[in-house]
Structure formats: structure tokens, C-alpha cells
Amino acid sequence: MIMEALREVLGAPPRAAGGRGSGRRGSSPPPRCGGTAEPPAEAAERLAVRLRAVPGVRHVDVRPNGFLVVEIATPGEIVQDILAAPLAVPPRRTGSTAPWPDFPRTWDNPGFAVRYAYVRAGAVQRWARDLGVPTGAAARSGLLDGPSDRAVLRVLAELPSRRDSRDPGWAAYLERLAEVYHAAVEHASPIPRGDEPPSEVHAARVRMGEAVRRVLGEGLAELGVAPPGKI
């Protein structure tokens, strides 16, 4: 699990970085030097040596300010990390108020977009099975290399640091994840269209949607919102 391996070296999960649509890089702040006078860049260089030895890391760049920029060879491994981990079950919250209203059920309501993304990802799995798309853990995550795929992966890569944050900002995070997932379904379909035959790319995108659904479900539960069965 690439994110867990990076956490072991860094002591904390890396933060996803890069422009919109990026999905290959993560950044880490300068390592703490304790009471030593070691410059941050030198301490970062020591960590960079260890990071370069982590399987799945393509490149590590040390910036003058001591920040480390880590490029992952196969960003789609983030999907496998999420789905291989035990299902997170947040504690039940009583008296919580949903951050968005249930209505109106239009795109102007971010709560609708989030809830619909959760339902849509489940529907995609059912449609994929009906259309003969191979699903399951055998899906090749390395095929998730299109711009829309990378946009989703970049937001998914924020999950470990989001969980560790004192102020995780779940509502805004779920809104961004829903936005990129809806765009991916529209522009990089996870299911065949027309006479298009089922392919491994479709399978990888269905698998990515499964990860999106799991993260949305976790975030909704954290906010005290029951994930919807249908919309």
C-alpha cells in the first residue's frame, strides 16, 4: 500500500499536490529537526533517500525550503489502498445537522451532488456487471491515466491527510470529490457506450468509482448524514 509506505517514512501521510487533474504527486512539509541545527533541506535529503527506495515511488524532488515532492509511478494504486483497507466506520453522531439541505435536488445544491455521486457510483457498478465489464480486484489501476481519471485520483489521495487533520473539512472535501467524479463519468465513461466493447479501462474506472463511493460514504457518516440508498 503506497500511501501507508510513505507514511511510515514521513511519519505522516503526504499531502496531495499539483494542479487540477494531477494525480501523480504528493508533497510533504520540511521534516522537523528537533533541537539540531541541521538545515531543513539536508534533513529532507536524508528522507528522500529512504523514499526513493519505496516500491512504487518514481521520483523524489527536494525543494530548497526542505519540502519533498514525491511522484508515484502508478497513481491508481491509491484506489487499491482505499479498497484494501478495513472499512472505516465513524462513530454515530447524535444531534448533528447536515451541512447541506436535502432539497432542492438540483446541481445548485452541493448536498445533492454529493448524495447523487454516492448513488451514481453504486449504479455504475450494477450497470457494469449487466454490460459484462470485468470487475473486482484484478482491475488494472495503471490504466487510470486520463485527465479525468487523474482528477479523481488527486482528490482521493487527500484522504489519509484529511483523516489525520484536526479540522478535516469533510463537507468541502466531499463536494470536490463529487464534482470530479461526476465529470469523470461524463467525460471518461466507466461503462461501454453504444457498440463499444467492455474493456480493462472500463473495469479500472468502475473500481475507482467503488473507492469514490466508499470515501463518500465515510465522509457522509462523519457528518452525521445517512448515505442514501437511492435518489
Side-chain angles (χ1 to χ4, degrees), residues 25-49:
R25 296 190 175 194
S27 65
S28 177
R32 294 181 179 178
C33 303
T36 71
E38 183 180 22
E42 293 184 12
E45 282 286 2
R46 290 190 292 100
L47 275 180
V49 172

Side-chain angles (χ1 to χ4, degrees), residues 47-133:
L47 275 180
V49 172
R50 296 175 59 193
L51 288 169
R52 291 177 184 124
V54 173
V57 170
R58 174 177 289 169
H59 180 73
V60 180
D61 184 30
V62 181
R63 299 294 169 83
N65 59 3
F67 269 77
L68 295 161
V69 179
V70 183
E71 182 177 353
I72 299 173
T74 309
E77 287 187 20
I78 294 164
V79 169
Q80 307 299 353
D81 282 5
I82 291 171
L83 294 177
L87 185 64
V89 182
R92 290 183 61 87
R93 297 179 181 272
T94 57
S96 298
T97 302
W100 330 274
D102 191 14
F103 292 93
R105 290 182 174 174
T106 67
W107 293 114
D108 293 330
N109 176 8
F112 165 76
V114 171
R115 293 179 177 98
Y116 179 40
Y118 178 85
V119 172
R120 191 177 200 180
V124 163
Q125 292 178 50
R126 295 192 297 273
W127 296 334
R129 287 194 297 268
D130 292 344
L131 293 171
V133 175

Side-chain angles (χ1 to χ4, degrees), residues 1 7 26 31 54 63 66 74-76 89 104 106 114 127 150 152 175 179-180 182 199 205 210-211 219:
M1 298 173 70
R7 180 200 290 267
V54 173
R63 299 294 169 83
T74 309
V89 182
T106 67
V114 171
W127 296 334
R150 292 198 304 271
V152 176
E175 289 172 22
E179 179 185 3
V180 294
H182 287 307
S199 71
R205 288 172 177 162
E210 187 179 347

